Structure formats: C-alpha cells, structure tokens
Amino acid sequence: MPKVTVRYWAAAKAAAGVGEEPYDAATLAEALDAVRERHPGELARVLQRCSFLIDGDPVGTRGHETVRLADGGTVEVLPPFAGG
C-alpha cells in the first residue's frame, strides 16, 4: 500500500487542524475516505468543494477511484480561494 502525504491548504487546513498528515492509500478515493474517517464534520464538508493535485498534477474531473497514488507521493487539498 503506498504511503502518501495529504497536504491541506486554506479552509481545509483550518478544518483539519494540521497542515499535512500521512495516509496509506492506493487511490485518491481511498485517501479521501481515510481523511473523512479521521476528520468527520467540517473537513468532510470542505472536501466536497475542493480540487486536488497529485504530485503537482491536477485531478480535474477524473473519478477519484481511478487516480492512482505513488509511494511517497503528495495529495494537495485546495479549497476554493476568495478572488480565484
């Protein structure tokens, strides 16, 4: 199982209470399920409005279950920012 770092920005960081944390996940869907389990409540709501970068590449409209994660990779959680 790949070990990845999930890095939170802006409102996601505030809701998580940390800037980043490690997870074991093979896909983006698995990583986000684990995040929701660890942080029920506000962060789960914030994630609904977020976009994601995997190792610097945008996920876009791809299904999260199809986005494979690499060992040592990074998932950036980017909520909408005021002004774009």
Side-chain angles (χ1 to χ4, degrees), residues 29-63:
E30 288 177 13
L32 294 177
D33 286 345
V35 167
R36 288 182 193 98
E37 185 175 314
R38 188 179 291 177
H39 300 282
E42 183 59 25
L43 183 55
R45 287 187 289 280
V46 170
L47 290 176
Q48 295 173 345
R49 300 183 312 273
C50 288
S51 57
F52 305 95
L53 297 177
I54 307 300
D55 299 328
D57 294 324
V59 170
T61 59
R62 289 183 287 161

Side-chain angles (χ1 to χ4, degrees), residues 1-80:
M1 180 74 66
K3 296 185 181 310
V4 299
T5 299
V6 175
R7 197 169 288 145
Y8 306 105
W9 297 97
K13 183 177 179 179
V18 296
E20 64 182 46
E21 53 194 359
Y23 285 93
D24 294 336
T27 66
L28 178 57
E30 288 177 13
L32 294 177
D33 286 345
V35 167
R36 288 182 193 98
E37 185 175 314
R38 188 179 291 177
H39 300 282
E42 183 59 25
L43 183 55
R45 287 187 289 280
V46 170
L47 290 176
Q48 295 173 345
R49 300 183 312 273
C50 288
S51 57
F52 305 95
L53 297 177
I54 307 300
D55 299 328
D57 294 324
V59 170
T61 59
R62 289 183 287 161
H64 294 169
E65 67 284 349
T66 69
V67 179
R68 307 290 303 165
L69 303 177
D71 194 43
T74 303
V75 176
E76 307 278 350
V77 179
L78 305 169

